């Protein structure tokens, strides 16, 4: 084994952290954090390479991102392109990666042992899945192949990923900010890349793109730029030996760490300007960007925390409290955003109301007045002490996170210049008060060092430019002189002329002081909560934490009332009521939030949900305040107007989500006996008045049944007292069980095949989406549930490999089990530029392909899938929140199967390959006469299917010939329209026969235009790319010969759902959920105070 230097054996860690840590450096200068976790059921590793999109060539943006994709496509040691993903899938694992501005992060997760019964500490003879995964993973950085056969496919995947984000305001506004920065700084880059930047344009310049990617990897990937984190059950010495052996081959080029100290993202030219941007969704945002210092060396003092704590405060005296009271804003956040080593931004972001949009200049002046308030007094140590105290408490009681979250995050943190023994605490803990450092930080927040961005669909209008990569409409101008002067005046304000309502926050009364936990050694954790109250009014579930021993707790409450979603109108009223309560509580609840105690209030089909979670010390205080606010809500006309408008915008914006985020709502709607969709809610919002909500919400609270879960550092008597608090505060009448809602689903009959088509609301979206759902049976059928789960496991990797990687249908591909309230099935979701009918064909072809693979699957592979799934089902909860959520999910589902995962394993273990073949052939195979299918097709307005209905076949041909004529003229070829038309005389353009279209063009160029062969090739190559966009724009679905693809079977005609009411009325309904055990078995009703 190569020489390994140990840098740290003892790391600062949370009080209850039972892991062991070691930081080492290999001879090639690759640094690694090794983590021994004796109890983990998942092993993981991550490599962070300190190179990202800032290192892209100016004429080939997206290179770093493309290289990230290509590393997954085979290495010299493991040349099969999906060997890595197959190995991980077979061992209950998965992988992913991301590329940011200055780093690329790769990570994977895998079963911690090859058998769930294996004791890793005593049986070293069994090879760990982690070793095999690490071996394959290391080769990414030693000898990737960059296979030519995968190059085009992965670049299309990058392109599809980019197109997925084209209508996302997060991506659009982020890129606008970059595109309007200084061209001298790499922040200006387009980071994702697309086919034009990574393939088409470079090829036109004669660039060998494969060589470029290989060269990028060779130039920037060096062992000394890599940070590795490995987490497993193995002892540290064993992990050290593995890492020293497997990663020794990574070449060290002694590359310097990338820094950009000589140039800033905003030069003087970009400062004191305002950008007006038009978003896709109806949103109103004001952002103030201050160029700021790089704080990575200031990890002990973190002066920006002082600024963000005060400017971003939401309590009395804050900026938000004032502008919210004026009716100008709904929310505000502030904080530092590192750009790269050498620069950062400090950003103040305000969510504006309609009035606030018109008064945005006043909002900016309020921000600068508050900044003057901070600056006029010395930095306050008590404020830093309060923040520091909470960071110490949070770190002390930090719980474990999922393995990949931990390794991916830590490998990134390792790039910072932290002492190696502080990697875990890092920037999480504020260590020192630095008055001079805070004053220095404040020196960047001044009236000559900022840019404003105002986002709105309506204000001020006159957007006269479009951003290059996403097409965002915008306008940019120098901030008017008088506005600049008023900002300077605000920044120089004093107590004599400052808004008197602005002041620094008071001391936080929610800071927890009781942090003791009654930990008992050797306790076997209970698998279910106890039912400590069960009467007509209340069902109270409770479990004192016996696993994690942290001073936190979670309370989940459902106020069961069928009125909450009896109709779309009552659903909207319930939602508005919850939003108004939260709006009224903002100032009060903010102190609790920054002290680690939060609440949620929401409406759903069964009633109103209240969730309170965090440090248990002051939990009852916050709960009481929420309940009193619910009971005594005053529906103020000014706040009602603002909150109603916010809810209305949210419903209108729903149509502008990505299609794959919309499709599931329609599938659920079509499978529910009673339910509503977005357009039905939208119709009910506009007429609502203040009086409607004021008269409605008392009805919600008048009668109810209370379902309550208390879990964590909560004693039994405290759980009972909090339940009493709900009853005594709200004083409801009991809702009889005969009036409880019963969840039911609609049952698709055997042999049925339904399709529901829906045109997407966003006219600029280019993606279609399909959810292809096969009904299987009742959730209560444990045997069928096990088979659906196993089918999902077996198709996960092959589905991704076939539908996304090989067929390149789209970036978004999901396969697996789908659960409703009482039924389950198997589904495939694909988001793609291809038509939904084509996607349906390809899913059918995939299922037949999988059926044949199942038939020929070896017994070892079949058992491997079972073992992988069993490992997943028996995965341990990692923290208190996960266990709380699991308990509450089982309670809310009303099956109360707290050992569902163990039940699944009991029914998985005896399954045979023959069982699965019979199951597949009955429920899943496209030719099965007994299968029941529902497909939901989300169709883009710009799709050929949508366009075809507006244009005739003859018009399609005429317009195509005109486009081709313009293209030929643009490349210097004589375009004779008459001759070109004759060549197209017998071509069926409307059918999308691309081969015939290309032949017609080729014949014209050779025989009519007399183009030489060397010119013909270039013109035809560019022309074929043109057809890829021209034909769909004319409503023509391109038919491409794809001989290598699995054939799609001929299917019987589907039934199109035209009338949803009629469709639902013809279907039978399921039984409602019933407890798997008598609830009396969970009862512990005697008081143990």
């Amino acid at each position: 084994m190569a020489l390994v230097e140990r840098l740290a054996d003892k790391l600062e860690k949370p009080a209850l952290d039972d892991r062991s840590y070691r930081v080492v450096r290999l001879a090639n200068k690759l640094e690694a954090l090794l983590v021994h976790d004796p109890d983990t059921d998942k092993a993981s590793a991550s490599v962070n390479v300190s190179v990202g999109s800032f290192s892209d060539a100016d004429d080939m943006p997206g290179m770093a991102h493309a290289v990230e994709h290509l590393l997954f496509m085979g290495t010299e040691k493991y040349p099969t392109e999906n060997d890595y993903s197959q190995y991980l899938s077979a061992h209950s694992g998965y992988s992913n990666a991301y590329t940011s501005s200055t780093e690329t992060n790769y990570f994977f997760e895998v079963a911690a042992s090859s058998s769930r019964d294996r004791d890793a500490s005593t049986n070293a003879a069994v090879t760990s899945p982690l070793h095999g995964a690490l071996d394959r993973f290391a080769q990414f950085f030693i000898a990737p192949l960059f296979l030519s056969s995968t190059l085009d496919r992965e670049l299309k995947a990058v392109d599809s990923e980019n197109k997925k984000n084209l209508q996302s305001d997060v991506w659009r506004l982020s890129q606008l900010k970059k595109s309007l920065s200084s061209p001298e700084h790499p922040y200006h880059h387009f980071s994702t890349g697309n086919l034009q930047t990574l393939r088409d344009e470079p090829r036109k310049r004669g660039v060998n793109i494969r060589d470029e990617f290989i060269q990028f990897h060779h130039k920037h990937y060096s062992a000394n730029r890599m940070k590795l984190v490995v987490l497993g059950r193995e002892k540290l010495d064993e992990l050290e030996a593995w890492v020293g052996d497997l990663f020794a081959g990574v070449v060290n080029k002694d590359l310097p760490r990338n820094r950009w100290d000589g140039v800033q993202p905003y030069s003087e030219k970009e400062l004191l300007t305002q950008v007006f941007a038009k978003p896709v969704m109806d949103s109103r945002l004001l952002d103030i960007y201050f160029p700021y210092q790089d704080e990575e060396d200031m990890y002990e003092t973190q002066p920006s925390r002082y600024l963000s704590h005060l400017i971003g405060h939401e309590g009395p005296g804050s900026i938000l409290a004032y502008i919210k009271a004026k009716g100008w804003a709904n929310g505000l956040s502030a904080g530092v955003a590192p750009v790269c080593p050498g620069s950062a931004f400090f950003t103040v972001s305000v969510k504006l109301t309609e009035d606030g949009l018109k008064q945005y200049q006043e909002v900016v002046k309020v921000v600068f007045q508050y900044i003057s308030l901070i600056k006029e007094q010395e930095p306050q140590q008590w404020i830093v002490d309060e923040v520091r105290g909470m960071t110490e408490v949070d770190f002390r009681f930090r719980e474990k996170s999922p393995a990949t979250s931990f390794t991916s995050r830590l490998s990134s943190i390792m790039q910072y210049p932290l002492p190696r023994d502080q990697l875990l605490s890092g920037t999480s803990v504020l260590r020192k008060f630095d008055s001079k450092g805070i004053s220095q930080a404040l020196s960047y927040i001044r009236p000559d060092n900022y840019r404003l961005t105002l986002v709105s669909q309506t204000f001020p209008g006159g957007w006269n430019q479009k951003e290059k990569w996403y097409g965002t409409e915008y306008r940019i101008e120098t901030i008017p002189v008088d506005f600049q002067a008023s900002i300077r005046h605000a920044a120089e304000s004093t107590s004599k002329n400052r808004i008197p309502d602005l002041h620094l926050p008071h001391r936080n009364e929610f800071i927890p002081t009781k942090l003791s936990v009654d930990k008992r050694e050797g306790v076997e954790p209970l698998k279910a909560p106890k039912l400590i109250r069960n009467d007509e009014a209340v069902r109270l579930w409770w479990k004192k934490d016996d696993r994690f021993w942290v001073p936190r707790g979670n309370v989940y409450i459902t106020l069961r009332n069928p009125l909450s979603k009896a109709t779309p109108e009552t659903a909207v009223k319930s939602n508005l009521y919850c939003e108004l309560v939260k709006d009224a509580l903002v100032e009060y609840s903010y102190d609790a939030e920054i002290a680690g105690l939060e609440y949620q209030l929401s409406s759903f089909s069964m009633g109103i949900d209240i969730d309170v979670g965090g440090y248990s010390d002051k939990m009852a205080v916050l709960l009481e305040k929420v309940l009193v606010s619910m009971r005594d809500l005053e529906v103020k006309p000014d706040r009602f107007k603002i909150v109603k408008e916010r809810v209305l915008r949210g419903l209108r914006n729903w149509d502008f989500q990505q299609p794959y985020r919309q499709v599931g709502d329609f599938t659920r709607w079509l499978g529910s006996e009673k339910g509503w969709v977005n357009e039905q809610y939208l119709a009910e919002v506009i007429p609502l008045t203040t009086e409607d909500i004021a008269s409605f919400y008392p009805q919600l609270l008048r009668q109810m049944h209370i379902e309550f879960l208390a879990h964590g550092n909560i004693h039994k008597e405290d759980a009972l007292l909090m339940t009493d608090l709900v009853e005594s505060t709200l004083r409801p009448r009991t809702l009889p069980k005969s009036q409880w809602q019963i969840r039911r689903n609609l049952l698709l009959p055997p042999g049925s095949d339904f399709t529901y088509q829906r045109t997407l609301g966003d006219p600029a979206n280019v993606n279609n989406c399909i959810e292809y759902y096969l009904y299987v049976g009742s959730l209560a059928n444990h045997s069928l549930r096990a088979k659906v789960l196993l089918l999902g496991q077996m198709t996960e990797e092959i589905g991704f490999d076939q539908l996304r990687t090989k067929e390149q249908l789209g970036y978004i591909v999901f396969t697996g089990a789908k659960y409703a309230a009482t039924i389950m099935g198997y589904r495939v979701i694909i988001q793609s530029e291809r038509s939904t009918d084509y996607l349906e064909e390809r899913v059918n072809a995939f299922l037949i392909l999988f059926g044949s693979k199942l038939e020929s699957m070896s017994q070892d592979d079949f058992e491997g899938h079972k073992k992988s799934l069993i490992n997943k089902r028996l995965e341990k909860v990692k923290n208190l929140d996960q266990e709380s959520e699991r308990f509450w999910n089982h309670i809310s589902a009303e099956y109360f199967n707290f050992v569902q995962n163990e039940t699944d394993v009991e029914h998985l273990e005896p399954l045979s390959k023959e069982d699965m073949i019979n199951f597949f052939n009955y429920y899943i195979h496209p030719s099965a006469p007994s299968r029941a299918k529902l497909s939901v097709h989300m169709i883009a307005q710009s799709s050929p299917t949508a366009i075809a209905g507006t244009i005739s076949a003859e018009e399609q041909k005429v317009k195509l010939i005109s486009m081709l004529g313009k293209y030929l003229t643009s490349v210097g070829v004589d375009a004779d329209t008459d001759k070109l038309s004759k060549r197209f005389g017998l071509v069926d353009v409307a059918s999308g026969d691309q081969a015939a279209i290309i032949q017609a063009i080729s014949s014209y160029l050779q025989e009519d235009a007399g183009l030489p062969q060397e010119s013909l090739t270039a013109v035809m190559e560019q022309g074929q790319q043109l057809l890829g966009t021209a034909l769909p724009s004319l409503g023509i679905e391109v038919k491409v010969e794809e001989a290598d693809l699995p054939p799609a079977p001929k299917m019987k005609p589907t039934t199109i759902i035209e009338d949803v009411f009629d469709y639902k009325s013809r279907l039978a309904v399921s039984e409602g959920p019933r407890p798997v055990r008598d609830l009396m078995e969970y009862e512990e009703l005697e008081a143990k105070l």
Side-chain angles (χ1 to χ4, degrees):
M1 184 188 76
L3 181 66
V4 175
E5 179 187 1
R6 294 182 182 176
L7 303 180
D9 269 316
K10 300 284 186 182
L11 271 66
E12 261 183 9
K13 63 181 186 178
L16 299 172
D17 190 344
D18 60 356
R19 292 167 170 167
S20 303
Y21 299 91
R22 179 181 296 167
V23 183
V24 300
R25 183 163 51 217
L26 308 190
N28 59 8
K29 296 187 180 179
L30 185 149
E31 196 174 44
L33 169 63
L34 311 175
V35 186
H36 164 58
D37 186 340
D39 298 320
T40 188
D41 44 23
K42 291 289 186 180
S44 177
S46 173
V47 165
N48 187 286
V49 189
S50 63
V51 62
S53 62
F54 279 13
S55 299
D56 290 345
D58 289 339
D59 60 355
M60 207 167 168
M63 287 182 73
H65 184 209
V67 168
E68 171 223 303
H69 274 249
L70 290 165
L71 290 199
F72 286 82
M73 294 293 108
T75 60
E76 288 182 10
K77 186 172 183 179
Y78 298 101
T80 304
E81 67 179 65
N82 64 333
D83 177 89
Y84 175 63
S85 59
Q86 276 187 331
Y87 181 89
L88 295 179
S89 179
H91 294 90
S92 314
Y94 74 95
S95 67
N96 211 334
Y98 68 81
T99 302
S100 70
S101 300
T102 60
E103 63 184 37
T104 308
N105 193 293
Y106 303 84
F107 53 91
F108 71 80
E109 180 176 286
V110 73
S113 64
S114 57
S115 166
R116 63 190 174 97
D117 298 317
R118 175 196 168 197
D119 180 350
S121 65
T122 59
N123 187 1
V126 181
T127 302
S128 165
L130 176 59
H131 186 275
L134 277 175
D135 189 15
R136 288 161 174 80
F137 189 49
Q139 294 301 312
F140 281 26
F141 313 102
I142 296 172
L145 288 176
F146 293 95
L147 291 168
S148 299
S149 60
T150 68
L151 190 62
D152 206 54
R153 281 194 272 113
E154 281 309 301
L155 294 183
K156 285 179 180 177
V158 171
D159 189 66
S160 179
E161 183 178 352
N162 178 60
K163 285 176 176 171
K164 169 180 73 72
N165 299 325
L166 288 178
Q167 290 301 101
S168 165
D169 281 327
V170 172
W171 286 87
R172 292 166 68 89
L173 296 174
S174 173
Q175 186 58 52
L176 178 63
K177 181 182 170 187
K178 294 176 180 180
S179 294
L180 295 180
S181 66
S182 169
E184 302 301 314
H185 195 282
Y187 185 71
H188 188 75
H189 283 178
F190 167 47
S191 59
T192 309
N194 57 33
L195 276 180
Q196 283 66 46
T197 67
L198 294 168
R199 187 191 69 181
D200 300 343
E201 292 300 327
R203 281 180 177 170
K204 286 180 187 177
R205 300 194 302 267
V207 172
N208 183 316
I209 57 174
R210 177 173 179 268
D211 288 351
E212 290 297 311
F213 296 130
I214 293 172
Q215 179 58 27
F216 185 94
H217 187 274
H218 177 75
K219 179 180 179 181
H220 295 290
Y221 277 57
S222 172
N224 73 305
R225 281 186 172 177
M226 297 180 189
K227 308 298 180 185
L228 167 67
V229 179
V230 181
L231 182 154
R233 284 189 186 177
E234 291 74 15
K235 299 290 189 182
L236 291 176
D237 288 347
E238 188 171 8
L239 293 175
E240 181 180 303
W242 288 359
V243 167
D245 177 41
L246 297 175
F247 287 85
V250 182
V251 176
N252 176 32
K253 298 153 192 170
D254 272 325
L255 299 179
R257 188 184 182 210
N258 285 318
R259 289 195 64 87
W260 292 269
D261 293 307
V263 62
Q264 291 296 312
Y266 287 171
S267 66
E268 285 189 18
K269 179 182 176 183
E270 285 78 39
L271 295 175
L272 301 182
T273 57
Q274 54 186 5
V275 179
F276 300 101
K278 185 178 181 182
V280 172
M281 291 192 176
D282 187 3
S283 60
R284 295 183 293 268
L285 298 170
L286 168 65
D287 291 322
I288 311 173
Y289 298 109
F290 297 92
Y292 188 73
Q293 64 189 354
D294 175 11
E295 283 191 348
E296 68 174 20
D297 289 323
M298 306 176 194
Y299 53 87
E300 289 189 317
T301 57
Q302 302 172 56
S304 63
R305 282 215 183 186
Y306 186 84
L307 279 63
S308 59
H309 176 74
L310 296 179
I311 297 172
H313 209 280
E314 297 179 14
S318 66
I319 297 170
L320 180 62
Y322 180 78
I323 58 179
K324 184 169 174 280
K326 298 287 285 185
W328 295 342
N330 286 313
L332 180 148
S333 60
V336 69
V339 172
C340 60
S343 60
F345 288 114
F346 189 91
T347 304
V348 180
S349 185
V350 185
K351 293 180 179 178
L352 297 171
T353 63
E354 287 183 291
D355 288 342
L357 191 62
K358 300 167 189 172
Q359 300 291 336
Y360 83 94
Q361 294 189 359
E362 295 303 313
V363 173
V364 174
K365 286 188 277 185
V366 173
V367 171
F368 275 93
Q369 281 206 30
Y370 196 87
I371 291 167
S372 75
L373 168 68
I374 299 172
K375 287 183 175 181
E376 77 177 4
Q377 49 194 302
E378 290 296 315
Q380 303 292 295
Q381 183 162 354
W382 74 265
I383 294 176
V384 174
D385 288 345
E386 198 172 80
V387 174
R388 182 177 64 202
M390 277 311 305
T391 67
E392 290 170 350
V393 169
D394 287 342
F395 179 69
R396 178 183 168 193
F397 296 108
R398 180 187 289 172
E399 298 174 77
K400 292 180 182 178
S401 56
T404 49
S405 300
F406 175 85
T407 57
S408 177
R409 182 175 62 86
L410 262 294
S411 66
S412 176
I413 287 173
M414 288 178 72
Q415 297 288 0
Y416 291 90
L418 293 164
R420 300 295 91 173
D421 63 348
Q422 294 179 15
L423 287 177
L424 301 180
S425 52
T427 56
S428 301
V429 175
L430 182 59
R431 299 171 190 275
K432 294 179 181 178
F433 169 66
D434 180 5
S435 180
K436 289 182 179 179
I438 292 171
S439 297
Q440 172 65 23
L442 281 165
S443 71
Y444 290 88
I445 315 302
R446 60 181 194 266
D448 64 344
N449 186 50
Y450 67 93
R451 166 181 274 180
L452 302 181
T453 297
L454 195 68
V455 178
S456 167
Q457 285 190 333
T458 58
F459 181 86
W463 305 280
N464 54 9
Q465 297 187 66
K466 280 193 175 183
E467 193 275 325
K468 177 179 181 180
W469 302 108
Y470 288 82
T472 304
E473 294 181 70
Y474 72 94
R475 190 176 98 202
I476 184 170
E477 63 189 30
T478 301
I479 293 175
V481 173
D482 58 340
F483 185 22
Q484 287 191 45
S486 63
I487 289 174
R488 285 196 300 274
H489 181 72
E492 295 164 1
S493 64
T494 67
S495 58
K496 295 179 180 179
N497 60 355
R498 185 181 302 121
I499 297 166
D501 291 336
L502 298 179
H503 59 79
L504 295 182
H506 52 67
R507 295 182 186 272
N508 190 343
E509 300 301 322
F510 275 100
I511 298 293
T513 54
K514 297 177 183 178
L515 297 169
S516 60
V517 178
D518 299 327
K519 184 174 182 179
R520 291 171 291 158
E521 300 296 338
V523 175
E524 181 66 27
L526 296 175
K527 295 179 180 179
K530 296 173 182 177
L531 191 53
I532 60 173
R533 181 176 168 188
N534 188 15
D535 52 46
E536 291 182 349
V538 174
R539 201 156 52 192
L540 170 58
W541 301 86
W542 166 78
K543 183 191 171 190
K544 177 74 169 65
D545 176 35
D546 54 8
R547 188 186 299 271
F548 302 104
W549 310 111
V550 289
R552 297 192 186 97
N554 290 301
V555 164
Y556 295 87
I557 309 167
T558 289
L559 309 179
R560 190 191 304 269
N561 186 322
L563 187 60
S564 67
K565 281 204 174 178
T567 67
E569 181 187 8
T570 63
V572 168
K573 286 179 178 178
S574 299
N575 183 34
L576 263 171
Y577 165 63
C578 291
E579 291 301 315
L580 286 163
V581 173
K582 289 189 286 187
D583 183 72
L585 278 169
V586 167
E587 288 186 37
Y588 180 86
S589 63
Y590 186 72
D591 273 353
E593 183 181 331
I594 59 179
L597 185 59
E598 299 184 63
Y599 83 99
Q600 291 293 328
L601 182 68
S602 59
S603 64
F604 77 124
S605 61
M606 308 303 282
I608 300 294
D609 262 8
I610 308 168
D611 305 340
V612 181
Y615 293 105
S616 52
D617 181 18
K618 308 280 179 32
M619 181 175 285
V621 177
L622 179 59
L623 175 60
E624 182 176 19
K625 183 66 175 180
V626 172
L627 292 168
V628 169
S629 299
M630 291 173 67
R631 183 194 65 196
D632 298 339
L633 176 69
E634 179 186 353
V635 185
K636 298 177 181 178
D638 57 338
R639 294 312 301 171
F640 173 78
K641 177 186 174 184
I642 289 168
V643 172
K644 174 185 169 181
E645 190 276 334
R646 189 171 71 212
V647 169
L648 188 60
R649 274 190 297 129
L651 291 170
R652 287 172 173 161
N653 287 337
W654 188 91
D655 280 334
F656 293 86
Q657 297 179 98
Q658 293 196 43
Y660 80 95
R661 295 190 182 278
Q662 300 182 39
V663 70
D665 278 18
F666 289 104
T667 311
R668 282 187 289 274
W669 177 51
L670 294 166
S672 301
E673 180 188 23
K674 187 177 180 181
W676 324 111
V677 287
N678 190 71
E679 65 194 50
Q680 294 167 312
Y681 298 137
L682 192 55
E684 300 296 337
V685 177
I686 295 173
L688 289 179
T689 65
T690 304
E691 292 72 25
D692 290 330
I693 305 303
S695 61
F696 170 75
Y697 85 78
Q699 299 175 53
L700 269 181
L701 304 182
R702 184 174 299 143
Q703 189 176 27
M704 66 182 68
H705 173 265
I706 301 167
E707 190 92 55
F708 198 118
L709 168 66
H711 176 229
N713 189 42
I714 301 170
H715 291 283
K716 185 176 184 178
E717 58 269 27
D718 293 326
L720 289 163
L721 287 171
M722 281 193 281
T723 310
D724 292 342
L725 182 64
V726 177
E727 289 185 286
S728 62
T729 305
L730 301 180
R731 297 182 179 177
R733 290 170 48 221
T734 297
L735 181 73
K737 196 166 186 179
S738 61
Q739 296 181 34
W740 293 12
Q741 308 95 304
I742 299 176
R743 290 184 172 95
R744 296 184 188 275
N745 286 109
L746 300 172
L747 303 178
L748 297 176
S752 59
D753 188 326
F754 294 101
T755 299
Y756 179 74
Q757 298 175 328
R758 185 86 175 192
T759 301
L760 288 155
D762 182 0
N765 167 67
V766 299
N767 287 307
N768 303 296
C769 185
I770 180 176
E771 180 162 17
Y772 179 115
Y773 170 72
L774 299 170
Y775 165 71
V776 170
S778 167
L779 273 179
N781 187 324
H782 299 304
S783 176
L784 276 181
R785 178 182 164 95
K787 291 169 185 173
V788 171
L789 286 167
L790 186 53
L791 176 65
Q793 161 66 30
M794 292 193 292
T795 57
E796 181 180 24
E797 195 281 327
I798 186 178
F800 188 89
D801 183 59
Q802 183 63 38
L803 298 173
R804 183 184 140 169
T805 305
K806 289 189 169 68
E807 298 194 26
Q808 286 293 302
L809 294 179
Y811 184 76
I812 300 295
V813 173
F814 298 128
T815 60
K818 182 181 180 74
Y819 304 112
T822 61
I823 62 173
M824 61 189 167
Y826 176 82
R827 62 92 184 267
V828 179
I829 291 180
I830 305 173
Q831 180 173 295
S832 172
E833 292 181 81
R834 307 302 294 266
S835 76
T836 53
D837 288 339
Y838 180 77
L839 298 178
E840 182 107 11
E841 286 182 10
R842 297 318 308 155
V843 175
N844 287 329
F846 162 69
L847 291 176
I848 288 177
L849 172 68
F850 173 74
S852 65
K853 288 184 178 291
L854 178 59
E855 293 272 2
S856 60
M857 187 179 291
S858 71
Q859 192 61 33
D860 283 349
D861 285 346
F862 178 78
E863 292 298 326
H865 280 299
K866 280 175 55 179
K867 181 181 71 175
S868 181
L869 178 58
I870 287 169
N871 283 337
K872 290 178 183 177
R873 301 312 293 167
L874 295 179
E875 185 176 344
K876 300 172 184 175
V877 288
K878 301 296 187 293
N879 51 55
L880 183 76
D881 287 347
Q882 282 189 2
E883 187 172 46
S884 297
E885 287 170 15
R886 180 180 287 186
F887 289 154
W888 188 241
N889 287 339
H890 289 309
I891 293 167
S892 299
E894 297 182 286
Y895 287 100
F896 304 97
N897 192 353
F898 298 106
V899 291
Q900 177 70 71
N901 289 356
E902 294 179 21
T903 306
D904 290 339
V905 170
E906 288 173 10
H907 289 83
L908 280 166
E909 287 179 324
L911 284 183
S912 67
K913 179 181 163 184
E914 184 180 0
D915 291 333
M916 286 304 295
I917 291 172
N918 292 337
F919 166 79
F920 182 85
N921 289 336
Y922 187 87
Y923 291 102
I924 309 298
H925 196 286
S927 65
S930 50
R931 83 168 190 161
K933 181 175 79 70
L934 168 66
S935 277
V936 178
H937 292 195
M938 307 294 287
I939 301 170
Q941 292 185 36
S942 59
S943 72
T945 305
I947 296 169
T950 66
I951 185 171
S952 69
E954 187 57 35
E955 285 178 302
Q956 288 173 327
K957 182 179 287 189
V958 169
K959 288 190 176 183
L960 177 61
I961 291 170
S962 173
M963 286 182 178
L964 289 171
K966 291 176 182 177
Y967 161 68
L968 293 175
T969 301
S970 72
V971 294
V973 178
D974 181 43
D976 187 322
T977 306
D978 291 337
K979 291 181 179 179
L980 195 55
S981 297
K982 287 180 181 178
R983 291 291 178 185
F984 275 84
L986 298 177
V987 177
D988 185 3
V989 171
S991 72
D993 188 349
Q994 189 165 347
I997 293 170
I998 291 171
Q999 182 57 50
I1001 299 170
S1002 180
S1003 297
Y1004 170 81
L1005 291 174
Q1006 291 182 79
E1007 300 173 23
D1008 298 329
L1011 207 65
Q1013 186 62 44
E1014 59 271 18
S1015 301
L1016 177 68
T1017 301
V1019 171
M1020 287 299 296
E1021 183 176 317
Q1022 292 182 46
Q1024 287 183 52
Q1025 294 172 19
L1026 171 68
L1027 288 177
T1029 55
L1031 293 178
S1033 74
L1034 297 173
I1036 301 166
E1037 178 65 31
V1038 180
K1039 290 184 179 177
V1040 186
E1041 292 298 323
E1042 296 173 302
D1044 294 337
L1045 298 184
K1050 289 186 177 180
M1051 303 295 295
K1052 67 178 183 180
T1054 187
T1055 299
I1056 302 296
I1057 300 172
E1058 304 283 0
D1059 183 333
V1060 173
F1061 180 84
D1062 180 68
Y1063 157 78
K1064 288 189 174 187
S1065 69
R1066 296 172 184 272
L1067 299 180
V1069 295
S1070 69
E1071 294 182 350
R1074 289 178 293 176
V1076 296
R1077 291 170 57 186
D1078 190 324
L1079 296 190
M1080 290 179 64
E1081 297 182 37
Y1082 297 108
E1083 288 184 348
E1084 183 182 276
L1085 303 182
E1086 68 278 7
K1088 293 184 179 178
L1089 300 180

